[in-house]
Each structure stands twice: as C-alpha cells, then as structure tokens.
Amino acid sequence: ANALLEQQKASRSASLSLESAAKRNGAKHTSPNSQFSTGVQASWIPDVWGRVAKAIKGQQANLEAVQADLAAVKLNQQLLATEAYWNIRVLDAQLDVLQQTQKSYVRSVQILKNQYTAGMIARADVIQAETQLKQVQIQQIEMQRERNLQENVLAVLQGKSVVQFQLVKRQQGLSIPTVPAQLPSRLLMQRPDVIRAERELASTHAQLGLAQTAWLPDINIGLNASLNSQVLGQLFQAPAYLWSTGLEAASVIFDGGKRQTEIAQAQASYDEKLAAYKQAVLTGWKEVDDALMQTSSLKQQQLEQAQLLQLTKENEQVVMRRYNAGLVSYLEVVTAQNLRLQAEQSTL
C-alpha cells in the first residue's frame, strides 16, 4: 500500500527520457549512409481536473485501511493469547480442586473398604465410591489435555515450537476489573474494523471522483530536443539541432456508454462500502452493549454462584452426618459431593 501511494505521488512530477540511436543504410551503386542521433524528451501532465489528487487521496485512504487491517490482526492475536493464558490459569485452579477432591475420595474409598471388610456396609457403597473416584480421575485427564492444547496455542502465538515453551503453574488471583458504567462513543471509532470500513469508503469515494472525470480531456505538455549527425565524432560538434514543444489535448467523444457504466460501477461500489461502514458501526455498538450486559449479568451470577457453593458444602456435611448415622445410603453422599464439585468448578 505504501508503494502504491508513492507511485501515485510520482504522477505529479514531469517525466524525462534520454534517447540515442545509430543507423546505417545503403543501396546498390550508392555509398552507405550513417546516421547518429541523441535527444531528450520531457513531458508533464498538469493535474487540471484533480485526477492525481483524487488518486493520491484514494491511495492514502487505502493505506490507512490496510494499517487498520494490520492493527485488527494484532488485536486478534492478543485476544487469542489472553484467552489461552486465562484458560490455562482457570484449568490450573480446577485441577487443584480435582486433586484435593481425589485425595478426599481416595480416603473415602479406603474407609469404605475397611467397613465392608468388617461387614458393616454393603459392597454397593464401595462400588459407588470407586466409581466416583474414577470419574474425578477421568476429569483430571481431560483438563490436563485441554491445558496442554492451550499451552500450544500460546507457544505458536509467540513464534515458538511447542517443545520450546512451557507456562509454569502458579497461584493466580482471578480479580474482575471494574468496567465504567458509561463509555464515550468516540471509543467506538478506535476499533480497527470501523476504521477500516471508513477508510475503504473514503478510498472508494476517490475512485468515484476519478470515474466522473473520465469525460474531461487529457492535457499533455511536451518538449523534445535532438541532435543529428552522419559522423559519430561530430555529433556534438556540428550537429543538426532539432527541437519541438507543444500542448496536446485529447478526449473521447463517443465510447458506446463505457464511461457511463464505469461511473455506475464506481457508484455501486461506493454504496456497497457505505453500507459496510454502517454495518461495522452497528456491529460495534452491539458488541459493546453485549459486553456491558454480560459483565453486569455475570457479576450477579457470581454472587448467586458463591451462595450456591456454600449451600452445597453445607449439604455435603449434613448428608455425610446422616450417612454416618445410618439414615441414608452412600448414593446420597455421592450426589452431594458431585453437586459440591460442580459448584466449585462453575464458580471458577
């Protein structure tokens, strides 16, 4: 895009060319004739109708649109890295919960086995406890696999091979940032997708202006100067000097409607980019409103989830006491423990 912009800027300058030629010809019964020449030709197309200015303006807008594309790609990569990082931290926290739960379940299985050996409980209670323990172990395998996949995502985003990168496990505080209740609408104009749509619209508008100037004549100012001689050594000593200068204007009077269709095409492209720009702004408004709504909703859900987790812990203690008293089966203990584990994972 930078190169295209510089190319359009170069159109404002005059062009200068140097030409040289050597010819030798002859015929039967005549002596050969040599002819040497050299000359300079200069031409300049004045931007009478603003075509070059419109082209430069269009390419400048195109450059800014491409820059917005690059910013959007960078932002997307940053978001992917952020999501992968926090997914790993949450998975680490969930793996800690599963590890603690597994230790508790292992102790429960051992106690139940001892009670079964002593003839105090049925074999069904042991089977239920072992089944519950196995389910937790399977969840650990699944979460560890997902953590490894997210770690690979981070490695690739940093330009490293998966064997060169490892995110060390550590304790992470999951603090929620406070989002302002009101945001200025001008922040929306900083979105790369909105900038790109607006700059593409400006570029297309310049192309429409170029198409509309197709009816105007082309004007060219030229200057030619040349030296001629039959002897190369005398080319610059006693030459035949020729020069010419002039102003040329050319315009197509009839083209069968070609230029009109080009204008219609440029107008349709402009309308398309205008609709895309409006859609980009509307999408931006929607996504901002969605994010604010979700933030408020998740905050309420977080409070409710914390209360639910506390209830599941109390329920587990009550059910365990009832089981120890022989009032309920171990199936109710399993159910209470699973509810507590699910509540902890949902809270994270």
Side-chain angles (χ1 to χ4, degrees), residues 227-239:
L227 303 174
N228 294 274
S229 176
Q230 293 183 349
V231 181
L232 178 61
Q234 299 177 355
L235 179 61
F236 297 98
Q237 297 177 3

Side-chain angles (χ1 to χ4, degrees), residues 196-232:
R196 174 192 176 186
E198 191 276 332
R199 290 290 81 197
E200 285 185 342
L201 177 63
S203 177
T204 308
H205 184 267
Q207 296 297 323
L208 175 60
L210 281 176
Q212 291 172 342
T213 62
W215 295 99
L216 304 174
D218 297 325
I219 299 176
N220 185 13
I221 300 175
L223 172 65
N224 297 322
S226 62
L227 303 174
N228 294 274
S229 176
Q230 293 183 349
V231 181
L232 178 61

Side-chain angles (χ1 to χ4, degrees), residues 98 105 128-142 334 338 341:
L98 289 177
Y105 287 177
Q128 290 174 353
E130 290 178 339
T131 301
Q132 187 182 35
L133 175 60
K134 189 61 65 177
Q135 289 175 345
V136 170
Q137 292 173 343
I138 292 174
Q139 289 184 40
Q140 285 180 305
I141 295 174
E142 292 176 346
V334 172
N338 287 335
L341 179 59

Side-chain angles (χ1 to χ4, degrees), residues 120-162:
M120 300 174 59
I121 61 174
R123 171 62 180 166
D125 291 350
V126 179
I127 294 176
Q128 290 174 353
E130 290 178 339
T131 301
Q132 187 182 35
L133 175 60
K134 189 61 65 177
Q135 289 175 345
V136 170
Q137 292 173 343
I138 292 174
Q139 289 184 40
Q140 285 180 305
I141 295 174
E142 292 176 346
M143 287 188 180
Q144 186 61 48
R145 179 175 64 247
E146 180 62 25
R147 187 193 190 281
N148 293 338
L149 292 175
Q150 293 295 321
E151 200 173 57
N152 290 348
V153 172
L154 272 181
V156 172
L157 289 173
Q158 295 181 86
K160 301 179 180 179
S161 65
V162 294

Side-chain angles (χ1 to χ4, degrees), residues 2 15 19 21 62 66 71 74 83 85 103 141 160 164 180 183 210 224 232 235 248 280 285 300 303 339 345 347-348:
N2 270 312
S15 62
E19 300 177 353
N62 179 66
V66 174
K74 289 182 178 179
E83 291 177 355
Y85 177 83
K103 292 180 180 180
I141 295 174
K160 301 179 180 179
Q164 293 177 323
L183 297 174
L210 281 176
N224 297 322
L232 178 61
L235 179 61
E248 177 183 348
W285 278 115
Q300 296 177 1
L303 297 176
L339 287 175
Q345 293 178 334
T347 300
L348 289 174

Side-chain angles (χ1 to χ4, degrees), residues 178-324:
T178 302
V179 180
Q182 294 181 346
L183 297 174
S185 60
R186 64 177 179 273
L187 291 178
L188 189 65
M189 300 308 298
Q190 298 180 13
R191 288 172 55 111
D193 55 341
V194 175
I195 295 175
R196 174 192 176 186
E198 191 276 332
R199 290 290 81 197
E200 285 185 342
L201 177 63
S203 177
T204 308
H205 184 267
Q207 296 297 323
L208 175 60
L210 281 176
Q212 291 172 342
T213 62
W215 295 99
L216 304 174
D218 297 325
I219 299 176
N220 185 13
I221 300 175
L223 172 65
N224 297 322
S226 62
L227 303 174
N228 294 274
S229 176
Q230 293 183 349
V231 181
L232 178 61
Q234 299 177 355
L235 179 61
F236 297 98
Q237 297 177 3
Y241 177 69
L242 300 175
W243 64 271
S244 66
T245 184
L247 178 67
E248 177 183 348
S251 178
V252 178
I253 299 177
F254 178 75
D255 60 1
K258 178 182 177 182
R259 284 172 293 182
Q260 191 61 41
T261 57
E262 290 176 349
I263 293 176
Q265 180 182 4
Q267 181 65 54
S269 180
Y270 175 78
D271 294 339
E272 177 185 3
K273 296 301 181 182
L274 178 61
Y277 175 55
K278 291 180 179 179
Q279 184 64 31
V281 174
L282 291 176
T283 301
W285 278 115
K286 173 186 175 298
E287 292 180 353
V288 171
D289 188 72
D290 289 347
L292 294 175
M293 180 273 295
Q294 290 178 359
T295 300
S296 176
S297 176
L298 289 173
K299 185 176 182 180
Q300 296 177 1
Q301 184 178 352
Q302 182 186 19
L303 297 176
E304 299 293 336
Q305 188 66 41
Q307 296 177 7
L308 176 61
L309 176 59
Q310 184 61 34
L311 289 174
T312 57
K313 290 181 178 179
E314 295 177 1
N315 178 65
E316 182 182 4
Q317 295 173 358
V318 171
V319 172
M320 181 61 69
R321 288 195 294 265
R322 288 171 59 84
Y323 173 75
N324 293 332

Side-chain angles (χ1 to χ4, degrees), residues 22-216:
K23 299 179 182 179
R24 185 174 176 83
N25 53 66
K28 189 176 182 180
H29 306 302
T30 61
S31 300
N33 180 37
S34 299
Q35 186 71 31
F36 302 95
S37 65
T38 185
V40 177
Q41 180 178 357
S43 64
W44 176 55
I45 302 178
D47 191 21
V48 178
W49 317 119
R51 292 175 180 170
V52 177
K54 289 183 174 65
I56 293 175
K57 184 178 179 180
Q59 287 300 335
Q60 180 65 43
N62 179 66
L63 172 61
E64 293 167 353
V66 174
Q67 289 173 336
D69 271 340
L70 178 59
V73 172
K74 289 182 178 179
L75 179 60
N76 182 65
Q77 299 301 296
Q78 292 167 351
L79 290 174
L80 289 176
T82 302
E83 291 177 355
Y85 177 83
W86 284 110
N87 285 338
I88 291 175
R89 293 310 182 196
V90 173
L91 287 170
D92 284 342
Q94 291 180 336
L95 284 170
D96 289 340
V97 172
L98 289 177
Q99 186 176 6
Q100 296 173 4
T101 303
Q102 181 184 9
K103 292 180 180 180
S104 175
Y105 287 177
V106 168
R107 290 193 299 268
S108 297
V109 169
Q110 188 61 45
I111 293 173
L112 291 174
K113 283 183 177 180
N114 295 336
Q115 292 177 344
Y116 171 72
T117 302
M120 300 174 59
I121 61 174
R123 171 62 180 166
D125 291 350
V126 179
I127 294 176
Q128 290 174 353
E130 290 178 339
T131 301
Q132 187 182 35
L133 175 60
K134 189 61 65 177
Q135 289 175 345
V136 170
Q137 292 173 343
I138 292 174
Q139 289 184 40
Q140 285 180 305
I141 295 174
E142 292 176 346
M143 287 188 180
Q144 186 61 48
R145 179 175 64 247
E146 180 62 25
R147 187 193 190 281
N148 293 338
L149 292 175
Q150 293 295 321
E151 200 173 57
N152 290 348
V153 172
L154 272 181
V156 172
L157 289 173
Q158 295 181 86
K160 301 179 180 179
S161 65
V162 294
V163 297
Q164 293 177 323
F165 176 78
Q166 183 179 8
L167 185 62
V168 179
K169 180 180 177 180
R170 71 178 185 183
Q171 294 295 330
Q172 185 72 46
L174 302 178
S175 59
I176 308 299
T178 302
V179 180
Q182 294 181 346
L183 297 174
S185 60
R186 64 177 179 273
L187 291 178
L188 189 65
M189 300 308 298
Q190 298 180 13
R191 288 172 55 111
D193 55 341
V194 175
I195 295 175
R196 174 192 176 186
E198 191 276 332
R199 290 290 81 197
E200 285 185 342
L201 177 63
S203 177
T204 308
H205 184 267
Q207 296 297 323
L208 175 60
L210 281 176
Q212 291 172 342
T213 62
W215 295 99
L216 304 174

